[in-house]
Amino acid sequence: MIDTSTRILVKFAASMPRQVGAVAIFVSSENRAPGGGVLGDAERSAANRLIEAGLFQGKSREVAIGIADGEDGGESATRVMLAGLGEAKDVSADRYRQAAAALIRTARRLKITRITMVIAADPRVMPAEIGAALATGALLAGFQFDRFKGTGTSGDEEPSRDEIAVTLVGESATARPVRSAVDRAIIVADSQNYARTLACRPGNDINPPTLANEAKKLAKATGLAVRVLDEKELAKLKMGGILAVGAGSNAPPRLIVLEHRPAKARASSHPLLVVGKSITFDTGGISIKPAEKMGRMIYDKSGGMAVLGLMAAVARLKLPVHVVGILSSAENHVSADAYRPGDIIRMYNGVTVEVTNTDAEGRLVLGDALAWGIETYKPTAVIDLATLTGGVIVALGREMAGAMTNSDELMTQVQRAADRAGEKIWRLPLGDEQREQIKSDHADIVNSAGREAHPLQGGAFLSYFVPRDNSVPWAHLDIAGPADTEKETPLYAKGGTGWGVRTLVEWAAAQAE
């Protein structure tokens, strides 16, 4: 259906399959291998031998391998993989998620192509939560972006791909809720990997028009409604922000709208609105970035890719909630037509902006999209996601997004969704002080007022494009830190992470309930 760059096949079973491959058991640092249930005596004994011999400590993400049915390696021998959960008091769904990811990485390194993961009773985490976490961890760790890998031949052949089949086995008594949770987790993780696949595609492959084509493909595959506003329509609507940012590129900007409106949700005409910054490549414009690591600016579209992942998930899950996703897409380039520091532009809602830094472009494309989206769809709540500022990385690091909002209630909803998803956010202040900081001498506001409190400036800027009376709950997520990674993390390989998809799905699902 859609390219997820995933080489993992996950399914659930209520009993041990005939061909188990390697049997994976999850153990905390205080526990022996679990008794009873679906685990056989030979596998349990092999696991306990590893523990008693001191070859496995149960540390978080630790993996050890032994042999069941004797240690002669004969045809009847079965590999037993132990995966650590850390100290018992710290065991959570996220620990299971990371343990599954560690297992997949180990399996790939050892060329193990089939793993049976045992969902054992755990007083700290419900079986359905364990199943969902294992499916998510396996699928996220199984992501391999090899779309552009050469083969050393004609270039027409597919590179070899190592697929791993994962079977999650649970007690028959809890099979129904676990199966349901696993099926849901597979859809969400696939949608996140779809977002990662698009985020990783380079600027010569994805630009605003080709991104619009990808959105159309998604809409056709999932039944979403789609609308694309080209540069002529954007000019008619007087969207000065997105037009200014896109003026320097020969690939014109696009505003891409996807809509999920199931029959059960038609009683309400007011959707949830999610808006994503989708800068397909960011040179910084005339305020050009340093050459070092500029190639990583392909990930400046990650906010929009999270929106695509959300829309893929809500459509496939058939959530009974009306959701509109908007991708505000431009390429920030340098040319004779590029916008300049000192320019004054008029945004869709009439707010005028003095450009002080062409590398603060994300807030310009988002401002137009927010104002137009709120006016057009009259949403019940709005979330935007953007790789907006390097300052948020300085403040919060690479694993956490900064959140700013005009609504305590919406912040509570988003925080709960992020906690369930295992994604980290931290609330940052948003007030009159920040709005005052970005006042302009010659226009209403500037797009950048220097380095001080730069993440807060971004939120303050965007607040000019949502109703000032706070009648529309709105949250801004600055995902510059977790949107991509330059090193392997417990869940992710180098590259785009698809951060935000799981949180957005949890939020939308909660509103449906």
Side-chain angles (χ1 to χ4, degrees), residues 51-87:
I51 296 170
E52 290 163 2
L55 299 177
F56 178 78
Q57 306 298 322
K59 297 176 182 177
S60 179
R61 302 192 300 276
E62 179 186 4
V63 177
I65 300 178
I67 299 294
D69 291 337
E71 300 188 2
D72 57 0
E75 291 183 0
S76 63
T78 299
R79 277 189 170 123
V80 173
M81 304 179 76
L82 291 186
L85 299 171
E87 294 185 23

PDB file of all heavy atoms in Angstrom, residues 51-87:
ATOM      1  N   ILE A  51      20.974 -17.379  33.185  1.00  0.00           N
ATOM      2  CA  ILE A  51      20.904 -16.485  34.345  1.00  0.00           C
ATOM      3  C   ILE A  51      21.816 -16.994  35.462  1.00  0.00           C
ATOM      4  O   ILE A  51      22.601 -16.229  36.047  1.00  0.00           O
ATOM      5  CB  ILE A  51      19.454 -16.364  34.842  1.00  0.00           C
ATOM      6  CG1 ILE A  51      18.583 -15.694  33.762  1.00  0.00           C
ATOM      7  CG2 ILE A  51      19.388 -15.568  36.145  1.00  0.00           C
ATOM      8  CD1 ILE A  51      17.094 -15.748  34.053  1.00  0.00           C
ATOM      9  N   GLU A  52      21.730 -18.291  35.760  1.00  0.00           N
ATOM     10  CA  GLU A  52      22.515 -18.871  36.860  1.00  0.00           C
ATOM     11  C   GLU A  52      24.008 -18.839  36.568  1.00  0.00           C
ATOM     12  O   GLU A  52      24.831 -18.744  37.486  1.00  0.00           O
ATOM     13  CB  GLU A  52      22.054 -20.298  37.106  1.00  0.00           C
ATOM     14  CG  GLU A  52      20.655 -20.371  37.716  1.00  0.00           C
ATOM     15  CD  GLU A  52      20.027 -21.744  37.597  1.00  0.00           C
ATOM     16  OE1 GLU A  52      20.720 -22.660  37.060  1.00  0.00           O
ATOM     17  OE2 GLU A  52      18.869 -21.918  38.014  1.00  0.00           O
ATOM     18  N   ALA A  53      24.372 -18.906  35.293  1.00  0.00           N
ATOM     19  CA  ALA A  53      25.792 -18.861  34.918  1.00  0.00           C
ATOM     20  C   ALA A  53      26.333 -17.428  34.899  1.00  0.00           C
ATOM     21  O   ALA A  53      27.529 -17.227  34.661  1.00  0.00           O
ATOM     22  CB  ALA A  53      25.983 -19.500  33.541  1.00  0.00           C
ATOM     23  N   GLY A  54      25.473 -16.463  35.168  1.00  0.00           N
ATOM     24  CA  GLY A  54      25.914 -15.068  35.174  1.00  0.00           C
ATOM     25  C   GLY A  54      26.112 -14.490  33.787  1.00  0.00           C
ATOM     26  O   GLY A  54      26.736 -13.433  33.637  1.00  0.00           O
ATOM     27  N   LEU A  55      25.559 -15.169  32.769  1.00  0.00           N
ATOM     28  CA  LEU A  55      25.715 -14.683  31.390  1.00  0.00           C
ATOM     29  C   LEU A  55      24.633 -13.694  31.005  1.00  0.00           C
ATOM     30  O   LEU A  55      24.666 -13.133  29.907  1.00  0.00           O
ATOM     31  CB  LEU A  55      25.684 -15.876  30.421  1.00  0.00           C
ATOM     32  CG  LEU A  55      26.786 -16.918  30.624  1.00  0.00           C
ATOM     33  CD1 LEU A  55      26.595 -18.076  29.666  1.00  0.00           C
ATOM     34  CD2 LEU A  55      28.162 -16.277  30.444  1.00  0.00           C
ATOM     35  N   PHE A  56      23.690 -13.465  31.909  1.00  0.00           N
ATOM     36  CA  PHE A  56      22.612 -12.526  31.646  1.00  0.00           C
ATOM     37  C   PHE A  56      22.224 -11.862  32.958  1.00  0.00           C
ATOM     38  O   PHE A  56      21.940 -12.543  33.938  1.00  0.00           O
ATOM     39  CB  PHE A  56      21.401 -13.254  31.045  1.00  0.00           C
ATOM     40  CG  PHE A  56      20.221 -12.359  30.778  1.00  0.00           C
ATOM     41  CD1 PHE A  56      20.208 -11.527  29.671  1.00  0.00           C
ATOM     42  CD2 PHE A  56      19.121 -12.356  31.630  1.00  0.00           C
ATOM     43  CE1 PHE A  56      19.113 -10.704  29.408  1.00  0.00           C
ATOM     44  CE2 PHE A  56      18.028 -11.545  31.387  1.00  0.00           C
ATOM     45  CZ  PHE A  56      18.020 -10.716  30.273  1.00  0.00           C
ATOM     46  N   GLN A  57      22.244 -10.519  32.965  1.00  0.00           N
ATOM     47  CA  GLN A  57      21.970  -9.768  34.189  1.00  0.00           C
ATOM     48  C   GLN A  57      20.568  -9.152  34.213  1.00  0.00           C
ATOM     49  O   GLN A  57      20.140  -8.658  35.246  1.00  0.00           O
ATOM     50  CB  GLN A  57      23.006  -8.645  34.346  1.00  0.00           C
ATOM     51  CG  GLN A  57      24.464  -9.114  34.299  1.00  0.00           C
ATOM     52  CD  GLN A  57      24.799 -10.056  35.423  1.00  0.00           C
ATOM     53  OE1 GLN A  57      24.336  -9.881  36.549  1.00  0.00           O
ATOM     54  NE2 GLN A  57      25.620 -11.072  35.133  1.00  0.00           N
ATOM     55  N   GLY A  58      19.899  -9.141  33.072  1.00  0.00           N
ATOM     56  CA  GLY A  58      18.569  -8.542  33.023  1.00  0.00           C
ATOM     57  C   GLY A  58      18.573  -7.039  32.878  1.00  0.00           C
ATOM     58  O   GLY A  58      17.541  -6.381  33.095  1.00  0.00           O
ATOM     59  N   LYS A  59      19.703  -6.460  32.499  1.00  0.00           N
ATOM     60  CA  LYS A  59      19.765  -5.015  32.313  1.00  0.00           C
ATOM     61  C   LYS A  59      18.891  -4.589  31.139  1.00  0.00           C
ATOM     62  O   LYS A  59      18.679  -5.358  30.202  1.00  0.00           O
ATOM     63  CB  LYS A  59      21.213  -4.575  32.064  1.00  0.00           C
ATOM     64  CG  LYS A  59      22.154  -4.839  33.223  1.00  0.00           C
ATOM     65  CD  LYS A  59      23.578  -4.461  32.860  1.00  0.00           C
ATOM     66  CE  LYS A  59      24.550  -4.764  34.001  1.00  0.00           C
ATOM     67  NZ  LYS A  59      25.952  -4.463  33.636  1.00  0.00           N
ATOM     68  N   SER A  60      18.419  -3.375  31.178  1.00  0.00           N
ATOM     69  CA  SER A  60      17.565  -2.875  30.111  1.00  0.00           C
ATOM     70  C   SER A  60      18.285  -2.971  28.771  1.00  0.00           C
ATOM     71  O   SER A  60      19.431  -2.550  28.627  1.00  0.00           O
ATOM     72  CB  SER A  60      17.184  -1.414  30.390  1.00  0.00           C
ATOM     73  OG  SER A  60      16.373  -0.908  29.346  1.00  0.00           O
ATOM     74  N   ARG A  61      17.624  -3.575  27.785  1.00  0.00           N
ATOM     75  CA  ARG A  61      18.095  -3.754  26.406  1.00  0.00           C
ATOM     76  C   ARG A  61      19.237  -4.759  26.286  1.00  0.00           C
ATOM     77  O   ARG A  61      19.798  -4.922  25.201  1.00  0.00           O
ATOM     78  CB  ARG A  61      18.497  -2.419  25.767  1.00  0.00           C
ATOM     79  CG  ARG A  61      17.375  -1.387  25.746  1.00  0.00           C
ATOM     80  CD  ARG A  61      17.711  -0.205  24.868  1.00  0.00           C
ATOM     81  NE  ARG A  61      18.897   0.513  25.286  1.00  0.00           N
ATOM     82  CZ  ARG A  61      18.908   1.458  26.226  1.00  0.00           C
ATOM     83  NH1 ARG A  61      17.800   1.772  26.867  1.00  0.00           N
ATOM     84  NH2 ARG A  61      20.024   2.079  26.547  1.00  0.00           N
ATOM     85  N   GLU A  62      19.584  -5.472  27.364  1.00  0.00           N
ATOM     86  CA  GLU A  62      20.577  -6.534  27.279  1.00  0.00           C
ATOM     87  C   GLU A  62      19.968  -7.743  26.562  1.00  0.00           C
ATOM     88  O   GLU A  62      18.796  -8.061  26.752  1.00  0.00           O
ATOM     89  CB  GLU A  62      21.021  -6.940  28.681  1.00  0.00           C
ATOM     90  CG  GLU A  62      22.055  -8.065  28.719  1.00  0.00           C
ATOM     91  CD  GLU A  62      22.342  -8.529  30.132  1.00  0.00           C
ATOM     92  OE1 GLU A  62      21.684  -8.032  31.077  1.00  0.00           O
ATOM     93  OE2 GLU A  62      23.212  -9.410  30.293  1.00  0.00           O
ATOM     94  N   VAL A  63      20.753  -8.418  25.745  1.00  0.00           N
ATOM     95  CA  VAL A  63      20.302  -9.627  25.046  1.00  0.00           C
ATOM     96  C   VAL A  63      21.343 -10.726  25.221  1.00  0.00           C
ATOM     97  O   VAL A  63      22.544 -10.490  25.042  1.00  0.00           O
ATOM     98  CB  VAL A  63      20.073  -9.363  23.540  1.00  0.00           C
ATOM     99  CG1 VAL A  63      19.686 -10.664  22.826  1.00  0.00           C
ATOM    100  CG2 VAL A  63      18.979  -8.317  23.341  1.00  0.00           C
ATOM    101  N   ALA A  64      20.888 -11.930  25.591  1.00  0.00           N
ATOM    102  CA  ALA A  64      21.760 -13.101  25.683  1.00  0.00           C
ATOM    103  C   ALA A  64      21.093 -14.257  24.954  1.00  0.00           C
ATOM    104  O   ALA A  64      19.862 -14.321  24.858  1.00  0.00           O
ATOM    105  CB  ALA A  64      22.026 -13.474  27.137  1.00  0.00           C
ATOM    106  N   ILE A  65      21.915 -15.183  24.447  1.00  0.00           N
ATOM    107  CA  ILE A  65      21.384 -16.288  23.640  1.00  0.00           C
ATOM    108  C   ILE A  65      21.902 -17.619  24.170  1.00  0.00           C
ATOM    109  O   ILE A  65      23.095 -17.770  24.463  1.00  0.00           O
ATOM    110  CB  ILE A  65      21.783 -16.129  22.162  1.00  0.00           C
ATOM    111  CG1 ILE A  65      21.236 -14.818  21.604  1.00  0.00           C
ATOM    112  CG2 ILE A  65      21.261 -17.304  21.332  1.00  0.00           C
ATOM    113  CD1 ILE A  65      21.608 -14.548  20.176  1.00  0.00           C
ATOM    114  N   GLY A  66      20.987 -18.585  24.312  1.00  0.00           N
ATOM    115  CA  GLY A  66      21.345 -19.942  24.711  1.00  0.00           C
ATOM    116  C   GLY A  66      20.657 -20.945  23.808  1.00  0.00           C
ATOM    117  O   GLY A  66      19.989 -20.587  22.837  1.00  0.00           O
ATOM    118  N   ILE A  67      20.819 -22.230  24.125  1.00  0.00           N
ATOM    119  CA  ILE A  67      20.246 -23.308  23.331  1.00  0.00           C
ATOM    120  C   ILE A  67      19.364 -24.181  24.220  1.00  0.00           C
ATOM    121  O   ILE A  67      19.772 -24.598  25.302  1.00  0.00           O
ATOM    122  CB  ILE A  67      21.337 -24.177  22.674  1.00  0.00           C
ATOM    123  CG1 ILE A  67      22.196 -23.340  21.736  1.00  0.00           C
ATOM    124  CG2 ILE A  67      20.715 -25.353  21.918  1.00  0.00           C
ATOM    125  CD1 ILE A  67      21.465 -22.800  20.530  1.00  0.00           C
ATOM    126  N   ALA A  68      18.139 -24.445  23.763  1.00  0.00           N
ATOM    127  CA  ALA A  68      17.237 -25.356  24.471  1.00  0.00           C
ATOM    128  C   ALA A  68      17.319 -26.751  23.851  1.00  0.00           C
ATOM    129  O   ALA A  68      17.875 -26.939  22.780  1.00  0.00           O
ATOM    130  CB  ALA A  68      15.803 -24.832  24.383  1.00  0.00           C
ATOM    131  N   ASP A  69      16.764 -27.745  24.527  1.00  0.00           N
ATOM    132  CA  ASP A  69      16.768 -29.145  24.078  1.00  0.00           C
ATOM    133  C   ASP A  69      18.186 -29.666  23.922  1.00  0.00           C
ATOM    134  O   ASP A  69      18.536 -30.280  22.916  1.00  0.00           O
ATOM    135  CB  ASP A  69      16.020 -29.302  22.747  1.00  0.00           C
ATOM    136  CG  ASP A  69      14.526 -29.074  22.907  1.00  0.00           C
ATOM    137  OD1 ASP A  69      14.025 -29.234  24.025  1.00  0.00           O
ATOM    138  OD2 ASP A  69      13.892 -28.724  21.916  1.00  0.00           O
ATOM    139  N   GLY A  70      19.005 -29.379  24.909  1.00  0.00           N
ATOM    140  CA  GLY A  70      20.392 -29.827  24.842  1.00  0.00           C
ATOM    141  C   GLY A  70      21.247 -28.737  24.234  1.00  0.00           C
ATOM    142  O   GLY A  70      20.765 -27.772  23.651  1.00  0.00           O
ATOM    143  N   GLU A  71      22.504 -28.918  24.382  1.00  0.00           N
ATOM    144  CA  GLU A  71      23.433 -27.892  23.918  1.00  0.00           C
ATOM    145  C   GLU A  71      24.325 -28.408  22.799  1.00  0.00           C
ATOM    146  O   GLU A  71      25.433 -27.943  22.575  1.00  0.00           O
ATOM    147  CB  GLU A  71      24.280 -27.387  25.080  1.00  0.00           C
ATOM    148  CG  GLU A  71      23.435 -26.767  26.196  1.00  0.00           C
ATOM    149  CD  GLU A  71      24.289 -26.105  27.258  1.00  0.00           C
ATOM    150  OE1 GLU A  71      25.514 -26.107  27.105  1.00  0.00           O
ATOM    151  OE2 GLU A  71      23.738 -25.598  28.229  1.00  0.00           O
ATOM    152  N   ASP A  72      23.820 -29.438  22.073  1.00  0.00           N
ATOM    153  CA  ASP A  72      24.656 -30.006  21.018  1.00  0.00           C
ATOM    154  C   ASP A  72      24.433 -29.332  19.674  1.00  0.00           C
ATOM    155  O   ASP A  72      25.077 -29.663  18.693  1.00  0.00           O
ATOM    156  CB  ASP A  72      24.393 -31.494  20.881  1.00  0.00           C
ATOM    157  CG  ASP A  72      22.920 -31.798  20.599  1.00  0.00           C
ATOM    158  OD1 ASP A  72      22.121 -30.839  20.505  1.00  0.00           O
ATOM    159  OD2 ASP A  72      22.590 -32.990  20.475  1.00  0.00           O
ATOM    160  N   GLY A  73      23.470 -28.365  19.634  1.00  0.00           N
ATOM    161  CA  GLY A  73      23.231 -27.668  18.387  1.00  0.00           C
ATOM    162  C   GLY A  73      22.589 -28.531  17.329  1.00  0.00           C
ATOM    163  O   GLY A  73      22.634 -28.212  16.153  1.00  0.00           O
ATOM    164  N   GLY A  74      21.974 -29.662  17.707  1.00  0.00           N
ATOM    165  CA  GLY A  74      21.360 -30.557  16.738  1.00  0.00           C
ATOM    166  C   GLY A  74      20.086 -29.971  16.160  1.00  0.00           C
ATOM    167  O   GLY A  74      19.682 -28.850  16.458  1.00  0.00           O
ATOM    168  N   GLU A  75      19.423 -30.769  15.304  1.00  0.00           N
ATOM    169  CA  GLU A  75      18.247 -30.273  14.603  1.00  0.00           C
ATOM    170  C   GLU A  75      17.123 -29.920  15.563  1.00  0.00           C
ATOM    171  O   GLU A  75      16.290 -29.074  15.274  1.00  0.00           O
ATOM    172  CB  GLU A  75      17.767 -31.328  13.608  1.00  0.00           C
ATOM    173  CG  GLU A  75      18.721 -31.523  12.435  1.00  0.00           C
ATOM    174  CD  GLU A  75      18.175 -32.528  11.437  1.00  0.00           C
ATOM    175  OE1 GLU A  75      17.069 -33.062  11.677  1.00  0.00           O
ATOM    176  OE2 GLU A  75      18.848 -32.771  10.436  1.00  0.00           O
ATOM    177  N   SER A  76      17.073 -30.582  16.723  1.00  0.00           N
ATOM    178  CA  SER A  76      16.009 -30.306  17.669  1.00  0.00           C
ATOM    179  C   SER A  76      16.292 -29.098  18.548  1.00  0.00           C
ATOM    180  O   SER A  76      15.442 -28.666  19.302  1.00  0.00           O
ATOM    181  CB  SER A  76      15.777 -31.530  18.568  1.00  0.00           C
ATOM    182  OG  SER A  76      16.948 -31.781  19.342  1.00  0.00           O
ATOM    183  N   ALA A  77      17.491 -28.553  18.439  1.00  0.00           N
ATOM    184  CA  ALA A  77      17.872 -27.427  19.293  1.00  0.00           C
ATOM    185  C   ALA A  77      17.126 -26.168  18.886  1.00  0.00           C
ATOM    186  O   ALA A  77      16.865 -25.920  17.720  1.00  0.00           O
ATOM    187  CB  ALA A  77      19.373 -27.196  19.208  1.00  0.00           C
ATOM    188  N   THR A  78      16.766 -25.381  19.889  1.00  0.00           N
ATOM    189  CA  THR A  78      16.083 -24.109  19.659  1.00  0.00           C
ATOM    190  C   THR A  78      16.869 -23.003  20.340  1.00  0.00           C
ATOM    191  O   THR A  78      17.263 -23.133  21.501  1.00  0.00           O
ATOM    192  CB  THR A  78      14.655 -24.143  20.252  1.00  0.00           C
ATOM    193  OG1 THR A  78      13.911 -25.167  19.601  1.00  0.00           O
ATOM    194  CG2 THR A  78      13.959 -22.805  20.058  1.00  0.00           C
ATOM    195  N   ARG A  79      17.093 -21.934  19.615  1.00  0.00           N
ATOM    196  CA  ARG A  79      17.731 -20.780  20.243  1.00  0.00           C
ATOM    197  C   ARG A  79      16.766 -20.145  21.234  1.00  0.00           C
ATOM    198  O   ARG A  79      15.577 -19.977  20.953  1.00  0.00           O
ATOM    199  CB  ARG A  79      18.112 -19.749  19.182  1.00  0.00           C
ATOM    200  CG  ARG A  79      19.432 -20.005  18.467  1.00  0.00           C
ATOM    201  CD  ARG A  79      19.743 -18.787  17.625  1.00  0.00           C
ATOM    202  NE  ARG A  79      21.090 -18.819  17.089  1.00  0.00           N
ATOM    203  CZ  ARG A  79      21.379 -18.742  15.794  1.00  0.00           C
ATOM    204  NH1 ARG A  79      20.408 -18.662  14.910  1.00  0.00           N
ATOM    205  NH2 ARG A  79      22.620 -18.742  15.376  1.00  0.00           N
ATOM    206  N   VAL A  80      17.299 -19.757  22.382  1.00  0.00           N
ATOM    207  CA  VAL A  80      16.538 -19.005  23.379  1.00  0.00           C
ATOM    208  C   VAL A  80      17.214 -17.655  23.544  1.00  0.00           C
ATOM    209  O   VAL A  80      18.413 -17.576  23.816  1.00  0.00           O
ATOM    210  CB  VAL A  80      16.487 -19.745  24.728  1.00  0.00           C
ATOM    211  CG1 VAL A  80      15.832 -18.867  25.790  1.00  0.00           C
ATOM    212  CG2 VAL A  80      15.722 -21.045  24.591  1.00  0.00           C
ATOM    213  N   MET A  81      16.442 -16.593  23.357  1.00  0.00           N
ATOM    214  CA  MET A  81      16.970 -15.231  23.495  1.00  0.00           C
ATOM    215  C   MET A  81      16.363 -14.596  24.738  1.00  0.00           C
ATOM    216  O   MET A  81      15.133 -14.551  24.876  1.00  0.00           O
ATOM    217  CB  MET A  81      16.639 -14.403  22.253  1.00  0.00           C
ATOM    218  CG  MET A  81      17.133 -15.004  20.945  1.00  0.00           C
ATOM    219  SD  MET A  81      16.702 -14.007  19.482  1.00  0.00           S
ATOM    220  CE  MET A  81      17.907 -12.665  19.623  1.00  0.00           C
ATOM    221  N   LEU A  82      17.213 -14.126  25.619  1.00  0.00           N
ATOM    222  CA  LEU A  82      16.749 -13.392  26.796  1.00  0.00           C
ATOM    223  C   LEU A  82      16.914 -11.903  26.535  1.00  0.00           C
ATOM    224  O   LEU A  82      17.977 -11.454  26.091  1.00  0.00           O
ATOM    225  CB  LEU A  82      17.555 -13.779  28.029  1.00  0.00           C
ATOM    226  CG  LEU A  82      17.360 -15.190  28.590  1.00  0.00           C
ATOM    227  CD1 LEU A  82      18.112 -15.343  29.895  1.00  0.00           C
ATOM    228  CD2 LEU A  82      15.893 -15.488  28.788  1.00  0.00           C
ATOM    229  N   ALA A  83      15.865 -11.146  26.827  1.00  0.00           N
ATOM    230  CA  ALA A  83      15.893  -9.694  26.642  1.00  0.00           C
ATOM    231  C   ALA A  83      15.653  -9.016  27.981  1.00  0.00           C
ATOM    232  O   ALA A  83      14.678  -9.331  28.682  1.00  0.00           O
ATOM    233  CB  ALA A  83      14.834  -9.262  25.634  1.00  0.00           C
ATOM    234  N   GLY A  84      16.547  -8.103  28.352  1.00  0.00           N
ATOM    235  CA  GLY A  84      16.476  -7.461  29.657  1.00  0.00           C
ATOM    236  C   GLY A  84      15.501  -6.303  29.729  1.00  0.00           C
ATOM    237  O   GLY A  84      15.378  -5.518  28.787  1.00  0.00           O
ATOM    238  N   LEU A  85      14.823  -6.208  30.882  1.00  0.00           N
ATOM    239  CA  LEU A  85      13.870  -5.124  31.141  1.00  0.00           C
ATOM    240  C   LEU A  85      14.365  -4.160  32.213  1.00  0.00           C
ATOM    241  O   LEU A  85      13.684  -3.183  32.530  1.00  0.00           O
ATOM    242  CB  LEU A  85      12.526  -5.708  31.580  1.00  0.00           C
ATOM    243  CG  LEU A  85      11.819  -6.619  30.572  1.00  0.00           C
ATOM    244  CD1 LEU A  85      10.616  -7.295  31.238  1.00  0.00           C
ATOM    245  CD2 LEU A  85      11.386  -5.845  29.344  1.00  0.00           C
ATOM    246  N   GLY A  86      15.539  -4.421  32.784  1.00  0.00           N
ATOM    247  CA  GLY A  86      16.031  -3.566  33.857  1.00  0.00           C
ATOM    248  C   GLY A  86      15.441  -3.945  35.198  1.00  0.00           C
ATOM    249  O   GLY A  86      14.885  -5.033  35.373  1.00  0.00           O
ATOM    250  N   GLU A  87      15.540  -3.059  36.169  1.00  0.00           N
ATOM    251  CA  GLU A  87      15.019  -3.340  37.505  1.00  0.00           C
ATOM    252  C   GLU A  87      13.502  -3.451  37.475  1.00  0.00           C
ATOM    253  O   GLU A  87      12.819  -2.724  36.750  1.00  0.00           O
ATOM    254  CB  GLU A  87      15.445  -2.235  38.475  1.00  0.00           C
ATOM    255  CG  GLU A  87      16.953  -2.171  38.711  1.00  0.00           C
ATOM    256  CD  GLU A  87      17.320  -1.138  39.758  1.00  0.00           C
ATOM    257  OE1 GLU A  87      16.442  -0.810  40.592  1.00  0.00           O
ATOM    258  OE2 GLU A  87      18.467  -0.663  39.743  1.00  0.00           O
TER     259      GLU A  87
END
